[in-house]
Amino acid sequence: MARFLIRRILQGIVVLWLITVAVFGLFFVVPNDVARTLAGRQATPETIALIQHRLGLDQPVWKQYLDFVWRALHGDLGYDYYHQVPVTHIIAQALPITLSLAIGASIIWLVLGVFNGVLSATHPRSLEDRGLTAFSLFFYSMPPFLLGILLLYVFYYQLTLRGVTWFPAGGYVPFAQDPTAWFQHMVLPWITLALLLAATYTRLTRASMLDVLGEDYIRTARSKGITERRVIYRHGLRAALTPVVTQFGIDLGQLVGGAVVTETVFSLPGLGNTAVDAITRQDLPVIIGIVLVASAAVVIANIVVDVAYAALDPRVRLH
Amino acid sequence: MALLEVEDLRVSFDTPDGVVRAVRGLSFTLAAGSTLGLVGESGSGKSVAVQTITRLTRGADVGGRVVLDGVDLLTANEEELREVRGARIGMIFQDPLSSLHPYHRIGWQIEEIIRAHEDIGRAAARARAADLLGLVGIPRPETRVDDYPHQFSGGMRQRVMIAMAMALSPEVLIADEPTTALDVTVQAQVLDVMRRLQEEFGTAIIMVTHDLGVIAELADDVVVMYAGAAMERAPRRELFYRYHHPYTEGLLTSLPLRGEASGRLRPIPGSPPSLIAVPPGCPFAPRCQYAFERCSITPPLAAVLADPRHQSACWLPADRPRQESAEEAA
Ligand SMILES: Nc1ncnc2c1ncn2[C@@H]1O[C@H](COP(=O)(O)OP(=O)(O)OP(=O)(O)O)[C@@H](O)[C@H]1O
Ligand code: SF4
Ligand SMILES: [Mg+2]
């Protein structure tokens, strides 16, 4: 176990390092005119050169990269080009928003998906099964922004017209500041994201459950005289959950990089929105910082998935 | 009175290819404490028949009666069935690895069956589980309760299954080819354990098997199944020495002679009919060397022979000559 973790963490560090190299490389392959943008239309070449010097952009790329790595190893990801705000600070602002979104939505879609999947699998080809499949496919095939805008139209616009102001149009309030407002701001984004992803989980759980329910040990369980509910949950779902947990870890890891469309529709200043802004403005330190956080999330999620896998299935040994 | 009576049991499955008639009018009785052997080729409906006794064949159309101590299990409700399953009828299956839950500890799996029927605490159930493991011959049972199925060998897993099925000393143990997946030497040990527990608890056993050797050793009565129906029913000695049905003859004459490593069947030429379109008349007719005109037109009734406990579904006269080699084999 310890050896497994050490090996996987080292591998993760290598992956993160390769990603920084790639992002740095890309940034300098495409022509960048950050200094010119910052200096404004009428800037003299001298001003531009000065700005380039201040941002360190006049240094050779390899030197800039080494500087970056050196500082990064000390927990300093540099400053954004435009307002000189520490990148770590920007991330610390945006990450809780994205985490709020990802974790809240993931709980909803997991419960919804697994519950519907079990229901579908235990009543295959029934009305419930068909209804749930249609329901989840409907949202699955819907463009994310459309679903978000529809929810806003119904729950913000129409309700507000009728004097009900439970759901704001967008934005974010930190939990620590006002838990109720935080919740009100998060509900619609959660539902949007959850409905989009629930279909995958419904189908995954359904397929996995159908497999498991055909296993010999389910027949054994029934032959013991336990309740059918116990057969389905303690024996069936317990075994069927493994692929679901894997998928869940991967999805959650990816979401930490930002659910761009959902964040945009609901004007949530999370990592996704921040990344899009940074990319349009070619704000390299911010881009790299966010890419690092997102990649680290994926790497960690993968390790957690493997550990969870071993915890779920006693036949699996970590090594 | 018999402990368990199966009367005209019919089980069919509606599949995309058509209705599969897996069991077509099977009848037999099981006396308390006795052993009934159920033999037949692969696909003859043995598993479907015995699993239907406790209604484990889900999605099947079931007809007939299965009477345990005066109560018809086929019309019992879910609650009544649960009280029978595990407590009064225990089951073990062919493949002990796939029949145990891979994610749960052995002890947990045995405790579960006890606690499903008795109001006792975890600790007490756990102690019982360890006792049971000891009873079926598993060394160091107090520590092995915490192991998972994959940490046991095939024979030990089947012992675990037996311990679980016998946990509540049921009146009936249904064993569906319990030794088929095991090595020959292990087979004998597992059968020994079953026999020992049968004596101790007075359990009646329905032993489903391909193996006439097992039948010869354990069974009091034998039912020979073919294409979902009983071809012949008789007490063991009667069946081996005075069999009547040509299918039984086929099974016995294809038996390897004593001294050969295994008592497994060598197949009879030809193959069983499709259970979707079972031909009218005798289902064995296409493979029967004695078949005559009437056989493929009218299904034979189960004629009672000299011994009233002996019945054979065949048109041949009761005193038909038999092949010598079969008797030797028996
Ligand atoms: N759930 C099901 N749906 C459709 N057909 C089924 C189902 N279960 C069993 N059958 C069919 O019923 C027939 C009898 O099967 P069964 O498993 O009872 O045979 P068996 O005598 O136990 O054979 P074996 O010795 O191989 O175990 C087979 O043709 C099988 O394909
Ligand atoms: S009834 Fe006819 S075909 Fe069937 S077993 Fe007897 S002799 Fe053979
Ligand atoms: Mg079988």
Side-chain angles (χ1 to χ4, degrees):
Chain A
M1 177 76 181
R3 271 181 56 198
F4 165 84
L5 281 181
I6 291 169
R7 194 171 50 85
R8 290 297 301 268
I9 289 168
L10 288 178
Q11 278 174 1
I13 290 172
V14 173
V15 168
L16 293 185
W17 170 65
L18 287 175
I19 285 171
T20 60
V21 174
V23 176
F24 239 86
L26 265 178
F27 194 76
F28 286 96
V29 168
V30 295
N32 96 70
D33 45 9
V34 179
R36 187 157 296 128
T37 317
L38 270 177
R41 281 273 184 83
Q42 274 92 40
T44 57
E46 288 74 34
T47 323
I48 292 172
L50 198 71
I51 291 174
Q52 286 213 319
H53 179 71
R54 217 183 60 220
L55 297 179
L57 291 173
D58 55 345
Q59 306 276 347
V61 177
W62 63 266
K63 178 118 197 323
Q64 287 185 46
Y65 181 71
L66 285 185
D67 275 356
F68 162 77
V69 171
W70 181 248
R71 280 184 283 112
L73 287 176
H74 294 82
D76 173 7
L77 293 174
Y79 298 84
D80 98 83
Y81 285 162
Y82 296 82
H83 309 290
Q84 305 299 308
V85 180
V87 171
T88 45
H89 184 75
I90 294 177
I91 290 174
Q93 292 275 305
L95 188 60
I97 300 172
T98 297
L99 285 181
S100 294
L101 177 60
I103 293 172
S106 70
I107 293 171
I108 301 177
W109 91 57
L110 191 66
V111 170
L112 208 63
V114 168
F115 189 77
N116 288 351
V118 170
L119 210 62
S120 287
T122 48
H123 304 82
R125 288 180 297 281
S126 68
L127 209 63
E128 289 109 308
D129 182 15
R130 286 176 216 276
L132 288 171
T133 306
F135 172 83
S136 52
L137 278 182
F138 175 74
F139 290 110
Y140 179 72
S141 43
M142 199 177 237
F145 71 91
L146 185 60
L147 180 56
I149 287 170
L150 271 178
L151 286 177
L152 273 183
Y153 176 74
V154 174
F155 290 98
Y156 163 69
Y157 185 70
Q158 290 293 341
L159 282 188
T160 308
L161 279 186
R162 285 164 178 73
V164 183
T165 51
W166 290 342
F167 302 103
Y172 182 74
V173 176
F175 182 81
Q177 188 181 318
D178 182 350
T180 316
W182 171 81
F183 186 78
Q184 284 173 325
H185 280 85
M186 294 312 296
V187 170
L188 293 183
W190 282 340
I191 294 175
T192 306
L193 203 54
L195 285 180
L196 291 169
L197 276 147
T200 317
Y201 286 78
T202 302
R203 291 193 303 173
L204 195 64
T205 309
R206 181 181 187 275
S208 176
M209 260 319 254
L210 280 176
D211 269 359
V212 167
L213 290 179
E215 293 283 351
D216 288 351
Y217 54 78
I218 295 299
R219 186 182 57 197
T220 308
R222 290 208 174 96
S223 80
K224 293 160 90 171
I226 56 180
T227 60
E228 183 62 18
R229 169 191 297 243
R230 196 173 163 95
V231 171
I232 286 168
Y233 289 95
R234 293 303 288 270
H235 293 257
L237 188 58
R238 171 70 179 76
L241 221 45
T242 316
V244 179
V245 168
T246 308
Q247 182 70 35
F248 183 69
I250 292 169
D251 282 348
L252 201 58
Q254 281 179 359
L255 267 188
V256 173
V260 176
V261 176
T262 311
E263 287 183 11
T264 311
V265 171
F266 293 97
S267 339
L268 289 169
L271 278 183
N273 247 340
T274 313
V276 171
D277 281 355
I279 289 166
T280 18
R281 294 184 308 184
Q282 296 185 317
D283 200 343
L284 180 65
V286 179
I287 296 174
I288 290 200
I290 293 177
V291 166
L292 265 182
V293 171
S295 316
V298 171
V299 165
I300 293 170
N302 276 308
I303 298 175
V304 171
V305 162
D306 283 346
V307 173
Y309 210 91
L312 279 175
D313 186 344
R315 292 167 301 182
V316 174
R317 287 266 153 276
L318 294 176
H319 49 161
Chain B
M1 202 190 88
L3 172 63
L4 181 76
E5 275 179 81
V6 172
E7 265 177 51
D8 191 28
L9 182 66
R10 281 165 281 115
V11 187
S12 54
F13 298 95
D14 205 351
T15 71
D17 301 331
V19 177
V20 177
R21 300 190 191 289
V23 178
R24 304 175 308 120
L26 179 71
S27 304
F28 61 80
T29 57
L30 178 71
S34 73
T35 302
L36 177 86
L38 196 56
V39 266
E41 280 169 297
S42 192
S44 55
K46 305 182 295 294
S47 297
V48 171
V50 294
Q51 283 171 29
T52 305
I53 292 174
T54 52
R55 301 243 301 271
L56 290 178
T57 39
R58 292 165 70 84
D61 281 327
V62 179
R65 276 158 43 94
V66 172
V67 183
L68 176 72
D69 245 355
V71 178
D72 186 356
L73 298 183
L74 297 189
T75 56
N77 64 32
E78 192 62 28
E79 190 63 30
E80 291 166 328
L81 267 182
R82 257 213 320 277
E83 279 163 21
V84 169
R85 290 176 178 163
R88 304 188 60 192
I89 303 184
M91 295 190 93
I92 59 180
F93 303 96
Q94 175 169 344
D95 183 350
L97 179 58
S98 62
S99 297
L100 287 164
H101 201 297
Y103 294 179
H104 291 299
R105 294 173 201 280
I106 292 301
W108 185 92
Q109 301 192 43
I110 299 176
E111 285 159 33
E112 184 182 42
I113 191 170
I114 300 173
R115 300 190 66 198
H117 300 281
E118 285 179 20
D119 192 15
I120 66 170
R122 277 215 65 171
R126 188 187 153 92
R128 283 260 295 274
D131 285 350
L132 284 159
L133 289 182
L135 202 61
V136 295
I138 287 176
R140 294 182 297 105
E142 319 76 41
T143 53
R144 301 296 322 248
V145 285
D146 288 327
D147 284 346
Y148 291 96
H150 72 273
Q151 293 166 301
F152 290 80
S153 69
M156 288 295 160
R157 276 179 213 135
Q158 196 60 294
R159 287 171 195 253
V160 170
M161 279 298 290
I162 295 173
M164 195 159 90
M166 297 296 282
L168 296 150
S169 36
E171 290 136 273
V172 181
L173 174 67
I174 295 176
D176 191 350
E177 307 201 37
T179 58
T180 308
L182 306 176
D183 292 343
V184 186
T185 46
V186 180
Q187 284 183 5
Q189 296 165 1
V190 168
L191 289 178
D192 260 2
V193 170
M194 289 179 61
R195 195 163 21 202
R196 200 159 44 72
L197 292 189
Q198 176 175 34
E199 268 166 33
E200 204 165 323
F201 298 139
T203 311
I205 297 181
I206 299 179
M207 174 70 79
V208 174
T209 180
H210 282 137
D211 191 336
L212 282 171
V214 171
I215 296 286
E217 238 176 276
L218 292 182
D220 300 306
D221 298 286
V222 187
V223 174
V224 178
M225 259 187 101
Y226 185 76
M231 296 295 104
E232 189 159 13
R233 292 162 52 183
R236 177 191 60 203
R237 288 184 62 80
E238 176 81 8
L239 187 96
F240 278 103
Y241 293 106
R242 277 184 294 279
Y243 63 84
H244 177 263
H245 200 283
Y247 179 61
T248 312
E249 178 177 289
L251 293 182
L252 289 169
T253 51
S254 62
L255 194 67
L257 292 178
R258 282 262 162 81
E260 278 185 41
S262 120
R264 241 167 229 246
L265 305 185
R266 267 194 240 114
I268 304 165
S271 52
S274 153
L275 295 173
I276 293 177
V278 187
C282 172
F284 191 54
R287 298 166 78 184
C288 178
Q289 52 175 323
Y290 307 104
F292 54 106
E293 239 170 276
R294 188 188 191 179
C295 298
S296 40
I297 301 166
T298 323
L301 302 170
V304 179
L305 302 169
D307 183 333
R309 296 170 301 170
H310 189 173
Q311 301 180 339
S312 168
C314 172
W315 286 125
L316 292 177
D319 56 350
R320 77 179 191 86
R322 284 178 289 266
Q323 292 201 356
E324 292 303 309
S325 58
E327 284 175 35
E328 271 168 39

